[in-house]
Amino acid sequence: MKILVTGGAGYIGSHTVCALLKQGDEVVIVDNLCNSKIEVLKRIEKICGKTPTFYQISVQDEVKLDEVFSNEHVDAIIHFAGLKSVGESVLKPDLYYSNNVGSSEVLIKLMKKHHVKNIVFSSSATVYGTPKRVPLYESDPIGGCTNPYGETKVVIEKMLQEEAKKDPSLNVAILRYFNPIGAHPSGLIGEDPQGIPNNLMPYITQVACKKLECLNVFGNDYDTVDGTGVRDYIHVMDLADGHLAALNKLYQNPGLVIYNLGTGKGTSVLELIHAFEKANNLIIPYVIKPRRPGDIATSYANADKAYQEMKWKAKYNIIDCCKDAWNWQKNNPNGYN
């Protein structure tokens, strides 16, 4: 199969591209490199022995994306492309709506024009807003998000659901995933944020390699096991496998399917710090800071449905995640630069 991967040079996208190539699929990446580096392509080739076709364009650019569809004749799409910082979305909501929702509108329009019937959408646990209970199930209500980033995911999910209702031949998999961490076991690709990291694990690894002085822990007064936020941390390789499982599900013509991708277990910020220290025999200095706007206390998944319908479940544990994240960072202290 030939798969179009939007945002395929990014953190989750690049790991999924490797999994697709390993499976024997052809891959076409569309990425404007606003949050990723061209070096990723060389690393993918080193891991897989082949290079995906690459177009450096924005998914919002309808004319150029239309040319990609005309040239490539893809069988399916995995849609990662989009801005992803919760904190930045609070400060720049208009940017997030125009970029994330606008690019998805273009993609859906061209899918229909070129009769592509299979799409996997990279959604997020943030669509559940402030959980009324945990673990979270796919049947739980979405919306009421605490940040614009989450709201853009809700809007795109609803757009895809409407398209699936209108066209019974369309197959849509919406994957709501929780907190990706870790890196490829080779240490060749991993998370490479620009500037000060917004996500916890790259912040920890940059403190570990002395790029940053200490870790900021935002809030220790939540109603959790130790007062710090609790999340469902999932290895990025497990997440990549989840996208392959979703594609295989779409080839069975299921219509619309929605799955949580998580471990089913919550880990607090302090628990993750201590797991990293244990896994890698390091000390991570940290300071407690006030809560960040848009953050919630606890979020973790029930992922039973993904196992029941796709035979997918997370294989890696939190120690594996910490070891692979550090292996990536210590071998690439400046990321892909």
Side-chain angles (χ1 to χ4, degrees), residues 119-125 127-128 136-139 157 161 172-178 234 239 242-250 252 254-262 301-312:
I119 182 168
V120 178
F121 172 55
S122 161
S123 191
S124 165
V127 300
Y128 292 112
L136 288 155
Y137 290 76
E138 291 89 348
S139 56
E157 280 200 19
Q161 290 179 41
V172 177
I174 292 171
L175 302 183
R176 295 173 182 162
Y177 40 80
F178 284 65
I234 176 173
L239 208 50
H243 289 80
L244 268 61
L247 275 179
N248 292 333
K249 180 69 176 177
L250 293 190
Q252 300 167 21
L256 172 72
V257 288
I258 300 173
Y259 300 110
N260 287 338
L261 295 186
N302 178 289
D304 291 349
K305 186 181 175 191
Y307 182 70
Q308 290 160 2
E309 297 188 12
M310 302 194 297
K311 293 294 176 267
W312 174 91

Side-chain angles (χ1 to χ4, degrees), residues 68-264:
V68 174
F69 274 92
S70 297
N71 292 341
E72 299 296 344
H73 307 291
V74 299
D75 300 294
I77 297 165
I78 302 179
H79 181 32
F80 291 110
L83 300 174
K84 61 176 185 175
S85 167
V86 167
E88 184 183 55
S89 78
V90 174
L91 299 173
K92 302 175 180 178
D94 291 347
L95 174 64
Y96 271 66
Y97 278 98
S98 64
N99 185 292
N100 294 5
V101 177
S103 62
S104 299
E105 287 173 334
V106 170
L107 187 65
I108 291 168
K109 179 179 178 181
L110 293 177
M111 266 187 78
K112 291 159 70 175
K113 176 180 176 181
H114 292 274
H115 309 291
V116 179
K117 296 297 184 180
N118 301 296
I119 182 168
V120 178
F121 172 55
S122 161
S123 191
S124 165
T126 56
V127 300
Y128 292 112
T130 302
K132 295 179 175 58
R133 62 167 184 180
V134 286
L136 288 155
Y137 290 76
E138 291 89 348
S139 56
D140 287 340
I142 64 170
C145 299
T146 57
N147 55 77
Y149 164 74
E151 287 294 347
T152 65
K153 294 292 189 183
V154 171
V155 172
I156 298 163
E157 280 200 19
K158 289 181 176 175
M159 284 163 47
L160 287 166
Q161 290 179 41
E162 286 301 313
E163 293 299 330
K165 280 182 193 171
K166 288 189 286 187
D167 181 359
S169 69
L170 185 64
N171 299 302
V172 177
I174 292 171
L175 302 183
R176 295 173 182 162
Y177 40 80
F178 284 65
N179 291 69
I181 58 174
H184 195 275
S186 67
L188 287 168
I189 59 173
E191 190 167 8
D192 182 24
Q194 297 183 12
I196 302 296
N198 289 303
N199 295 330
L200 178 58
M201 183 56 87
Y203 210 125
I204 291 174
T205 59
Q206 289 193 21
V207 170
C209 73
K210 311 290 195 229
K211 279 189 76 175
L212 297 171
E213 188 176 341
C214 74
L215 173 68
N216 293 324
V217 176
F218 295 103
N220 68 341
D221 57 350
Y222 289 106
D223 183 17
T224 62
V225 61
D226 54 24
T228 63
V230 169
R231 298 292 182 270
D232 188 337
Y233 294 100
I234 176 173
H235 199 295
V236 67
M237 296 300 294
D238 279 329
L239 208 50
D241 286 342
H243 289 80
L244 268 61
L247 275 179
N248 292 333
K249 180 69 176 177
L250 293 190
Y251 299 149
Q252 300 167 21
N253 303 115
L256 172 72
V257 288
I258 300 173
Y259 300 110
N260 287 338
L261 295 186
T263 66

